[in-house]
Amino acid sequence: MLDFWQDYPEIRGKLIAVQTLMAERLSVNNADIRDALQKFTTRGGKMVRPALFFLFSGLLKEGNQDEERLLKIAASLELLHSATLIHDDIIDDSPLRRGLPSVEAQFGKDVAVYTGDFIYTVYFELLCETMADTPFLPRNAKSMKKILQGELTQMQSAFNADNSIRHYLKAISGKTAELLSLACLEGAYFSGGDKQMQRSARKIGLAIGLAFQIYDDVLNFTVGLEEADKPILTDFRQGIYTLPLLLAKEKAPEQVLPYLVASDGLSREECIQFSQLVADLGGITGSLFLAKHLTNQALLEIEKLPQSRNREILKEVTQTLLQRNY
Amino acid sequence: MLDFWQDYPEIRGKLIAVQTLMAERLSVNNADIRDALQKFTTRGGKMVRPALFFLFSGLLKEGNQDEERLLKIAASLELLHSATLIHDDIIDDSPLRRGLPSVEAQFGKDVAVYTGDFIYTVYFELLCETMADTPFLPRNAKSMKKILQGELTQMQSAFNADNSIRHYLKAISGKTAELLSLACLEGAYFSGGDKQMQRSARKIGLAIGLAFQIYDDVLNFTVGLEEADKPILTDFRQGIYTLPLLLAKEKAPEQVLPYLVASDGLSREECIQFSQLVADLGGITGSLFLAKHLTNQALLEIEKLPQSRNREILKEVTQTLLQRNY
């Protein structure tokens, strides 16, 4: 997935160094856990969090920094993300993660619980090594708590037909946007940016995070409908009611609510009908509109950053990440 | 379970304050998790870790310290312990914990995973608030890793007939003794004790921890044998091979190994036979001998501490904790 960065070799190179560092730090005696960790980290995702961190940390002082320290901080962001993903997959009983079997599916919940916990310890260790003289130890504790509270909000509101858009935004602010926002903020700080730039960085991360999650939630309503062997509406059937559905429900509750009452027992046919209904009621276009608005907010804020190669990359990446085709 | 401390009202009072602090910090939106947290922390255990911390932190400067800070550190120790217990119960599928249904049994694994994770975040937060200017941030990260590696060692060696005594001691050093040792060390440090006293504190915690776990493991071979409705040899049947068994195996492998091969499928009758065999081969007396030796080591080391009321309490508590009847 690092192919995503192929046009930006300077970032891609750093991300590979982060992978190497993670592999070194995640060494453990237990063979199952070692396998699980290795598979999980090397198959990798796009590593958006460390990438954003590097893009911001290189804004002002490129080439004049403690590279080792920056690598560790970038790794801490990816590790916190990884640990939460692995534990989420236990909750969701997800068969797949990043196109391969999830840690829970492949190794069982025992390994998944401890693998996640072990990653938390390495995350904590890296923070202690790099952040003791910065405001980011308590800030990380706060973010970790917010991320988890986002997950809890989502879990608590599963199958709750009264779920509101406000509630949804709160949940995704925690579970997705918080860590992207922290990545940008930490980057701006280590770049030597002033309060103003740090504020911008936080806003950019938050907007990208929210937009990213909304696009993801739209995909859950649009992908796989034509392929009979693909699972569809996986979130909805687990009672996770996301923006497209919530917008449709606002428009015509009497049409949407009957589907919610039965959401975990719908046939494939009914699921397809339901996603059609959500689209007809404007749930998809409305969600895309909000995502687009957030993307533009991010781009406007990026424009305020100091003119630099990194700023241009940030712009391009924001557009690529957030303007996928539907 | 705070009755354990009824003869020591000064310690009991502090432990109640720790419970109050934990309850405040563990407030969370999700109703299930809130219930789980509240039940788990108020039913409480003996709170040995915070108690040891207070006994050591009061050794030299009783009455002349930042009480709020000490409370938070004591709470951090109990929280780290709680989080690992809750996640362990997922692994073991334990129906009971502290005589009541485990978090996993009562609320399901989803709640148990997040409850444990949430406790880790509060633990981390308390450390950031209290330890930034001490050596104990990295030290806690290291301990957390060791505890987890102890659990992993145990998990990896489940049902392994080649399991050695060395292996066993390594696993219990991590999973039990490490945190007791940290509690004593942190206490000595905040009491203003010198390197010598800090070393003693670590040794005392380690010896108490090892002895405590060995006694616990002996109990698993001796308790409930006469009551037909009690589960027996629960560890053994989960493939956790502890000291009594390992000593018996050294003595007469040909008699012990056949039971190990079939350990998860033994009838109640065979389990009783097997515990009798372990006892006959000296597994129980040998284990008690080692535990007694470790207790004496702890008592000798306690004798070196400055003469004080706390030292006397430490002595008495070590004897009460570790000299139970069998």
Side-chain angles (χ1 to χ4, degrees), chain A residues 58-128:
Chain A
L59 268 178
L60 294 176
K61 348 191 252 192
E62 186 78 86
N64 188 20
Q65 292 169 303
D66 179 346
E67 286 299 326
E68 183 65 19
R69 186 180 190 186
L70 297 185
L71 276 182
K72 286 181 179 179
I73 297 169
S76 76
L77 292 160
E78 187 66 11
L79 288 174
L80 177 54
H81 177 55
S82 304
T84 58
L85 283 187
I86 290 173
H87 280 182
D88 288 353
D89 286 340
I90 303 177
I91 312 296
D92 303 340
D93 281 318
S94 295
L96 293 178
R97 171 63 70 183
R98 295 174 177 167
L100 289 166
S102 73
V103 173
E104 132 119 333
Q106 193 169 4
F107 299 95
K109 69 175 176 161
D110 302 9
V111 172
V113 170
Y114 281 148
T115 302
D117 285 357
F118 186 74
I119 295 179
Y120 279 129
T121 71
V122 179
Y123 156 70
F124 183 23
E125 211 173 45
L126 287 171
L127 288 182
C128 290

Coordinates of all heavy atoms in Angstrom, one line a residue, chain A residues 58-128:
Chain A
G58 N 8.4 18.5 8.3 CA 9.3 19.0 7.4 C 9.0 20.3 6.8 O 9.7 20.8 5.9
L59 N 7.9 20.9 7.3 CA 7.5 22.2 6.7 C 8.5 23.3 6.8 O 8.7 24.1 5.9 CB 6.2 22.7 7.4 CG 4.9 22.2 6.7 CD1 3.7 22.7 7.6 CD2 4.7 22.7 5.3
L60 N 9.1 23.4 8.0 CA 10.0 24.6 8.2 C 11.5 24.2 8.3 O 12.3 24.9 7.8 CB 9.6 25.3 9.5 CG 8.3 26.0 9.6 CD1 8.0 26.6 10.9 CD2 8.2 27.1 8.5
K61 N 11.8 23.0 8.9 CA 13.2 22.8 9.1 C 13.7 21.6 8.5 O 14.6 20.9 9.0 CB 13.6 22.7 10.6 CG 12.6 23.2 11.6 CD 13.3 23.2 13.0 CE 12.9 22.1 13.9 NZ 13.3 22.3 15.3
E62 N 13.2 21.2 7.3 CA 13.7 20.1 6.5 C 15.2 19.9 6.6 O 16.0 20.9 6.4 CB 13.3 20.2 5.1 CG 13.6 19.0 4.2 CD 12.6 17.9 4.4 OE1 11.5 17.9 3.8 OE2 12.9 17.0 5.2
G63 N 15.7 18.8 7.0 CA 17.1 18.5 6.9 C 17.9 18.9 8.2 O 19.1 18.8 8.2
N64 N 17.2 19.5 9.1 CA 17.9 20.1 10.3 C 17.3 19.5 11.6 O 17.2 20.2 12.6 CB 17.7 21.6 10.2 CG 18.6 22.3 11.2 OD1 19.6 21.7 11.7 ND2 18.2 23.5 11.6
Q65 N 17.0 18.2 11.6 CA 16.3 17.7 12.8 C 16.9 16.4 13.2 O 17.6 15.7 12.5 CB 14.8 17.5 12.4 CG 14.1 18.9 12.2 CD 12.8 18.7 11.6 OE1 12.6 18.1 10.5 NE2 11.8 19.2 12.3
D66 N 16.4 16.0 14.4 CA 16.8 14.7 14.9 C 16.0 13.6 14.3 O 14.9 13.3 14.7 CB 16.6 14.7 16.5 CG 16.9 13.4 17.1 OD1 17.1 12.4 16.4 OD2 17.0 13.4 18.4
E67 N 16.5 13.0 13.2 CA 15.7 12.1 12.3 C 15.2 10.9 13.1 O 14.1 10.4 12.9 CB 16.6 11.6 11.1 CG 16.8 12.7 10.1 CD 15.5 13.1 9.4 OE1 14.5 12.3 9.3 OE2 15.4 14.3 9.0
E68 N 16.1 10.4 14.0 CA 15.8 9.2 14.8 C 14.6 9.5 15.7 O 13.6 8.6 15.7 CB 17.0 8.9 15.7 CG 16.9 7.7 16.5 CD 16.8 6.4 15.7 OE1 17.2 6.4 14.6 OE2 16.3 5.4 16.3
R69 N 14.5 10.6 16.3 CA 13.4 11.0 17.1 C 12.1 11.1 16.3 O 11.1 10.6 16.7 CB 13.7 12.3 17.8 CG 12.7 12.8 18.8 CD 13.1 14.1 19.4 NE 12.2 14.4 20.6 CZ 12.3 15.6 21.2 NH1 13.1 16.5 20.9 NH2 11.5 15.8 22.2
L70 N 12.2 11.8 15.1 CA 11.0 11.9 14.3 C 10.5 10.5 13.8 O 9.3 10.3 13.8 CB 11.3 12.8 13.1 CG 11.7 14.2 13.4 CD1 11.9 15.0 12.1 CD2 10.7 14.9 14.3
L71 N 11.4 9.7 13.5 CA 11.0 8.3 13.1 C 10.2 7.6 14.2 O 9.2 7.0 14.0 CB 12.2 7.4 12.8 CG 12.8 7.5 11.4 CD1 14.0 6.6 11.3 CD2 11.8 7.2 10.3
K72 N 10.7 7.8 15.4 CA 10.1 7.1 16.6 C 8.7 7.7 16.8 O 7.7 7.0 17.1 CB 10.9 7.3 17.9 CG 12.1 6.4 17.9 CD 12.9 6.7 19.2 CE 14.1 5.8 19.4 NZ 14.8 6.1 20.6
I73 N 8.6 9.0 16.7 CA 7.2 9.6 16.9 C 6.3 9.2 15.8 O 5.1 8.8 16.1 CB 7.4 11.2 16.9 CG1 8.2 11.6 18.1 CG2 6.0 11.8 17.0 CD1 8.7 13.0 18.1
A74 N 6.8 9.2 14.5 CA 5.9 8.7 13.4 C 5.5 7.2 13.7 O 4.3 6.9 13.5 CB 6.7 8.7 12.1
A75 N 6.4 6.4 14.2 CA 6.0 5.0 14.5 C 5.0 5.0 15.6 O 4.1 4.1 15.6 CB 7.3 4.2 14.9
S76 N 5.1 5.9 16.6 CA 4.2 5.8 17.7 C 2.7 6.0 17.2 O 1.8 5.4 17.7 CB 4.5 6.9 18.8 OG 4.2 8.2 18.4
L77 N 2.6 6.9 16.2 CA 1.3 7.2 15.7 C 0.7 6.0 15.0 O -0.4 5.6 15.1 CB 1.4 8.4 14.7 CG 1.7 9.8 15.3 CD1 2.2 10.7 14.3 CD2 0.4 10.3 16.0
E78 N 1.6 5.3 14.2 CA 1.1 4.2 13.4 C 0.8 3.0 14.4 O -0.1 2.2 14.2 CB 2.2 3.7 12.4 CG 1.7 2.6 11.5 CD 0.6 3.0 10.5 OE1 0.3 4.2 10.4 OE2 0.1 2.1 9.8
L79 N 1.6 2.9 15.5 CA 1.3 1.8 16.4 C 0.0 2.0 17.2 O -0.7 1.0 17.4 CB 2.5 1.7 17.4 CG 3.8 1.2 16.8 CD1 5.0 1.3 17.8 CD2 3.6 -0.3 16.3
L80 N -0.2 3.2 17.6 CA -1.5 3.5 18.3 C -2.7 3.1 17.4 O -3.6 2.4 17.8 CB -1.6 4.9 18.8 CG -2.9 5.3 19.4 CD1 -3.2 4.4 20.6 CD2 -2.8 6.8 19.9
H81 N -2.5 3.5 16.1 CA -3.6 3.2 15.2 C -3.7 1.7 15.0 O -4.8 1.1 15.0 CB -3.2 3.8 13.8 CG -4.1 3.5 12.7 ND1 -5.5 3.7 12.8 CD2 -3.9 3.0 11.5 CE1 -6.0 3.4 11.6 NE2 -5.1 2.9 10.8
S82 N -2.6 1.0 14.9 CA -2.6 -0.5 14.7 C -3.2 -1.2 15.9 O -4.0 -2.1 15.7 CB -1.2 -1.0 14.5 OG -0.5 -0.4 13.5
A83 N -2.9 -0.8 17.1 CA -3.4 -1.5 18.3 C -4.9 -1.3 18.3 O -5.7 -2.3 18.6 CB -2.8 -0.9 19.6
T84 N -5.4 -0.1 18.0 CA -6.9 0.1 18.1 C -7.6 -0.7 16.9 O -8.6 -1.3 17.2 CB -7.3 1.6 17.9 OG1 -6.8 2.1 16.7 CG2 -6.8 2.4 19.1
L85 N -6.9 -0.8 15.8 CA -7.5 -1.6 14.7 C -7.6 -3.1 15.1 O -8.6 -3.8 14.9 CB -6.6 -1.6 13.4 CG -6.7 -0.4 12.6 CD1 -5.9 -0.6 11.3 CD2 -8.1 0.0 12.2
I86 N -6.6 -3.6 15.7 CA -6.6 -5.0 16.1 C -7.6 -5.3 17.1 O -8.4 -6.3 17.0 CB -5.2 -5.5 16.6 CG1 -4.2 -5.4 15.4 CG2 -5.2 -6.8 17.2 CD1 -2.7 -5.7 15.7
H87 N -7.8 -4.4 18.1 CA -8.8 -4.6 19.1 C -10.2 -4.4 18.5 O -11.2 -5.1 18.8 CB -8.6 -3.8 20.3 CG -7.6 -4.4 21.3 ND1 -7.2 -3.8 22.5 CD2 -6.8 -5.5 21.2 CE1 -6.3 -4.5 23.1 NE2 -6.1 -5.6 22.3
D88 N -10.3 -3.5 17.6 CA -11.7 -3.3 16.9 C -12.1 -4.6 16.2 O -13.3 -4.9 16.1 CB -11.6 -2.2 15.8 CG -11.5 -0.8 16.5 OD1 -11.6 -0.7 17.7 OD2 -11.2 0.1 15.7
D89 N -11.1 -5.2 15.6 CA -11.5 -6.4 14.8 C -12.0 -7.5 15.7 O -12.8 -8.4 15.3 CB -10.3 -6.9 14.0 CG -10.0 -6.0 12.8 OD1 -10.9 -5.3 12.4 OD2 -8.9 -6.0 12.2
I90 N -11.6 -7.5 17.0 CA -12.2 -8.5 17.9 C -13.6 -8.1 18.2 O -14.5 -9.0 18.2 CB -11.4 -8.4 19.3 CG1 -9.9 -8.7 19.1 CG2 -12.0 -9.4 20.2 CD1 -9.1 -8.6 20.4
I91 N -13.9 -6.9 18.4 CA -15.3 -6.4 18.6 C -16.2 -6.7 17.4 O -17.3 -7.2 17.6 CB -15.3 -4.9 18.9 CG1 -14.2 -4.4 19.8 CG2 -16.7 -4.4 19.3 CD1 -14.4 -4.9 21.2
D92 N -15.7 -6.4 16.3 CA -16.5 -6.6 15.1 C -16.5 -8.0 14.6 O -17.2 -8.3 13.6 CB -16.0 -5.7 13.9 CG -15.9 -4.2 14.3 OD1 -16.6 -3.9 15.3 OD2 -15.2 -3.5 13.7
D93 N -15.7 -8.9 15.1 CA -15.5 -10.2 14.5 C -15.2 -10.1 13.0 O -15.7 -10.8 12.2 CB -16.7 -11.1 14.7 CG -16.7 -11.7 16.1 OD1 -15.7 -12.1 16.6 OD2 -17.8 -11.7 16.7
S94 N -14.3 -9.1 12.7 CA -14.0 -8.8 11.3 C -13.2 -10.0 10.7 O -12.2 -10.3 11.2 CB -13.2 -7.6 11.1 OG -14.0 -6.5 11.5
P95 N -13.7 -10.6 9.6 CA -12.9 -11.6 9.0 C -11.7 -11.0 8.3 O -10.6 -11.6 8.2 CB -13.8 -12.3 8.0 CG -14.9 -11.2 7.7 CD -15.0 -10.4 8.9
L96 N -11.8 -9.8 7.7 CA -10.7 -9.2 6.9 C -10.3 -7.9 7.5 O -11.0 -7.2 8.1 CB -11.2 -9.0 5.5 CG -11.5 -10.3 4.7 CD1 -12.1 -9.8 3.3 CD2 -10.3 -11.2 4.5
R97 N -9.0 -7.6 7.2 CA -8.4 -6.3 7.5 C -7.4 -6.1 6.4 O -6.5 -6.9 6.3 CB -7.8 -6.3 8.9 CG -7.0 -5.1 9.3 CD -7.8 -3.8 9.3 NE -8.7 -3.7 10.4 CZ -9.5 -2.6 10.5 NH1 -9.5 -1.6 9.7 NH2 -10.4 -2.6 11.5
R98 N -7.5 -5.0 5.7 CA -6.5 -4.7 4.7 C -6.4 -5.8 3.7 O -5.4 -6.3 3.3 CB -5.1 -4.4 5.3 CG -5.1 -3.2 6.1 CD -3.8 -2.9 6.8 NE -3.8 -1.7 7.5 CZ -2.9 -1.3 8.4 NH1 -1.9 -2.1 8.7 NH2 -3.0 -0.2 9.1
G99 N -7.6 -6.4 3.4 CA -7.7 -7.4 2.3 C -7.1 -8.8 2.7 O -7.1 -9.7 1.9
L100 N -6.6 -8.9 3.9 CA -6.1 -10.2 4.4 C -6.9 -10.6 5.7 O -7.5 -9.7 6.3 CB -4.6 -10.1 4.7 CG -3.8 -10.0 3.4 CD1 -2.4 -9.6 3.8 CD2 -3.7 -11.3 2.7
P101 N -6.8 -11.8 6.1 CA -7.5 -12.2 7.4 C -7.1 -11.3 8.5 O -5.9 -11.0 8.6 CB -7.1 -13.6 7.6 CG -6.7 -14.2 6.3 CD -6.1 -13.0 5.5
S102 N -8.0 -10.9 9.3 CA -7.7 -10.0 10.5 C -6.9 -10.9 11.5 O -6.9 -12.1 11.4 CB -8.9 -9.5 11.2 OG -9.6 -10.5 11.9
V103 N -6.2 -10.2 12.4 CA -5.4 -10.9 13.4 C -6.3 -11.9 14.2 O -6.0 -13.0 14.5 CB -4.7 -9.9 14.4 CG1 -4.1 -10.7 15.6 CG2 -3.7 -9.1 13.7
E104 N -7.5 -11.4 14.5 CA -8.5 -12.2 15.3 C -8.9 -13.4 14.5 O -8.9 -14.5 15.0 CB -9.7 -11.4 15.7 CG -11.0 -12.0 15.4 CD -11.9 -12.2 16.7 OE1 -11.3 -12.4 17.7 OE2 -13.1 -12.2 16.5
A105 N -9.2 -13.2 13.2 CA -9.6 -14.3 12.4 C -8.5 -15.4 12.2 O -8.8 -16.6 12.2 CB -10.1 -13.8 11.0
Q106 N -7.3 -14.9 12.0 CA -6.2 -15.8 11.7 C -5.7 -16.5 13.0 O -5.3 -17.6 12.9 CB -5.1 -15.0 11.0 CG -4.1 -15.9 10.4 CD -3.1 -15.2 9.4 OE1 -3.2 -14.0 9.3 NE2 -2.3 -15.9 8.8
F107 N -5.6 -15.7 14.1 CA -4.9 -16.3 15.2 C -5.8 -16.5 16.4 O -5.4 -17.0 17.5 CB -3.7 -15.4 15.6 CG -2.7 -15.3 14.6 CD1 -2.7 -14.2 13.7 CD2 -1.6 -16.2 14.5 CE1 -1.7 -14.1 12.7 CE2 -0.7 -16.1 13.5 CZ -0.7 -15.0 12.6
G108 N -7.0 -16.0 16.3 CA -8.0 -16.2 17.5 C -7.9 -14.9 18.4 O -7.0 -14.1 18.3
K109 N -8.9 -14.8 19.2 CA -9.1 -13.6 20.0 C -8.0 -13.5 21.1 O -7.6 -12.4 21.4 CB -10.4 -13.5 20.7 CG -10.6 -14.6 21.8 CD -11.9 -14.4 22.5 CE -12.0 -15.6 23.5 NZ -12.9 -15.5 24.6
D110 N -7.4 -14.6 21.6 CA -6.4 -14.5 22.6 C -5.2 -13.8 22.1 O -4.7 -12.8 22.7 CB -5.9 -15.9 23.0 CG -7.1 -16.8 23.5 OD1 -8.2 -16.3 23.4 OD2 -6.8 -17.9 24.1
V111 N -4.7 -14.2 20.9 CA -3.6 -13.6 20.3 C -3.9 -12.1 20.0 O -3.1 -11.2 20.2 CB -3.1 -14.4 19.1 CG1 -2.0 -13.6 18.3 CG2 -2.6 -15.7 19.5
A112 N -5.1 -11.9 19.5 CA -5.5 -10.5 19.1 C -5.5 -9.6 20.3 O -5.0 -8.5 20.2 CB -6.8 -10.5 18.4
V113 N -6.0 -10.0 21.5 CA -6.0 -9.2 22.7 C -4.6 -8.8 23.1 O -4.2 -7.7 23.2 CB -6.7 -9.9 23.9 CG1 -6.5 -9.1 25.2 CG2 -8.2 -10.0 23.6
Y114 N -3.7 -9.8 23.2 CA -2.4 -9.6 23.6 C -1.5 -8.9 22.6 O -0.7 -8.1 22.9 CB -1.7 -10.9 24.1 CG -2.1 -11.4 25.4 CD1 -2.1 -12.7 25.7 CD2 -2.4 -10.5 26.4 CE1 -2.5 -13.2 27.0 CE2 -2.8 -10.9 27.7 CZ -2.8 -12.3 27.9 OH -3.2 -12.8 29.2
T115 N -1.8 -9.1 21.3 CA -1.0 -8.4 20.3 C -1.3 -6.9 20.4 O -0.4 -6.1 20.4 CB -1.4 -8.9 18.9 OG1 -1.1 -10.3 18.8 CG2 -0.6 -8.3 17.8
G116 N -2.6 -6.6 20.5 CA -3.0 -5.2 20.7 C -2.3 -4.6 21.9 O -1.7 -3.5 21.9
D117 N -2.4 -5.3 23.0 CA -1.8 -4.8 24.3 C -0.3 -4.6 24.1 O 0.2 -3.6 24.6 CB -2.1 -5.8 25.4 CG -3.5 -5.8 25.9 OD1 -4.3 -4.9 25.4 OD2 -3.9 -6.6 26.8
F118 N 0.3 -5.6 23.5 CA 1.8 -5.5 23.3 C 2.1 -4.2 22.5 O 3.1 -3.5 22.8 CB 2.3 -6.7 22.7 CG 3.8 -6.8 22.6 CD1 4.5 -7.0 23.7 CD2 4.5 -6.5 21.4 CE1 5.9 -7.0 23.7 CE2 5.8 -6.5 21.4 CZ 6.6 -6.7 22.5
I119 N 1.3 -4.0 21.5 CA 1.6 -2.8 20.7 C 1.4 -1.5 21.5 O 2.2 -0.6 21.4 CB 0.7 -2.8 19.4 CG1 1.1 -3.9 18.5 CG2 0.9 -1.4 18.6 CD1 0.2 -4.0 17.2
Y120 N 0.4 -1.5 22.4 CA 0.3 -0.4 23.3 C 1.5 -0.1 24.1 O 1.9 1.0 24.3 CB -0.9 -0.6 24.2 CG -2.3 -0.2 23.7 CD1 -3.3 -1.2 23.8 CD2 -2.5 1.0 23.0 CE1 -4.6 -0.9 23.3 CE2 -3.8 1.3 22.5 CZ -4.8 0.3 22.6 OH -6.1 0.6 22.1
T121 N 2.1 -1.2 24.6 CA 3.3 -1.0 25.4 C 4.5 -0.4 24.6 O 5.2 0.4 25.1 CB 3.8 -2.3 26.1 OG1 4.4 -3.2 25.1 CG2 2.7 -3.1 26.8
V122 N 4.6 -0.8 23.4 CA 5.7 -0.3 22.5 C 5.4 1.2 22.2 O 6.3 2.0 22.2 CB 5.9 -1.1 21.3 CG1 7.0 -0.5 20.4 CG2 6.3 -2.6 21.6
Y123 N 4.2 1.5 21.9 CA 3.7 2.8 21.7 C 4.1 3.7 22.9 O 4.7 4.8 22.7 CB 2.2 2.8 21.5 CG 1.5 4.1 21.8 CD1 1.6 5.2 20.9 CD2 0.6 4.2 22.9 CE1 0.9 6.4 21.2 CE2 -0.1 5.3 23.1 CZ 0.0 6.4 22.3 OH -0.7 7.6 22.6
F124 N 3.8 3.2 24.1 CA 4.0 3.9 25.3 C 5.6 4.1 25.5 O 6.0 5.2 25.8 CB 3.4 3.1 26.4 CG 3.5 3.6 27.8 CD1 3.7 5.0 28.1 CD2 3.4 2.8 28.9 CE1 3.7 5.5 29.4 CE2 3.5 3.2 30.2 CZ 3.7 4.6 30.4
E125 N 6.3 3.1 25.2 CA 7.8 3.2 25.3 C 8.3 4.2 24.4 O 9.2 5.0 24.8 CB 8.3 1.8 24.9 CG 9.5 1.3 25.5 CD 9.8 -0.1 25.1 OE1 9.7 -0.5 23.9 OE2 10.2 -0.9 26.0
L126 N 7.9 4.2 23.1 CA 8.4 5.2 22.2 C 8.1 6.6 22.6 O 8.9 7.6 22.5 CB 7.8 5.0 20.8 CG 8.4 3.7 20.1 CD1 7.6 3.5 18.8 CD2 9.8 4.0 19.7
L127 N 6.9 6.8 23.2 CA 6.5 8.2 23.7 C 7.4 8.6 24.8 O 7.9 9.7 24.9 CB 5.1 8.2 24.2 CG 4.0 8.1 23.1 CD1 2.6 8.2 23.7 CD2 4.1 9.2 22.1
C128 N 7.7 7.6 25.7 CA 8.6 8.0 26.9 C 9.9 8.4 26.4 O 10.6 9.3 26.9 CB 8.7 6.8 27.8 SG 7.2 6.5 28.7

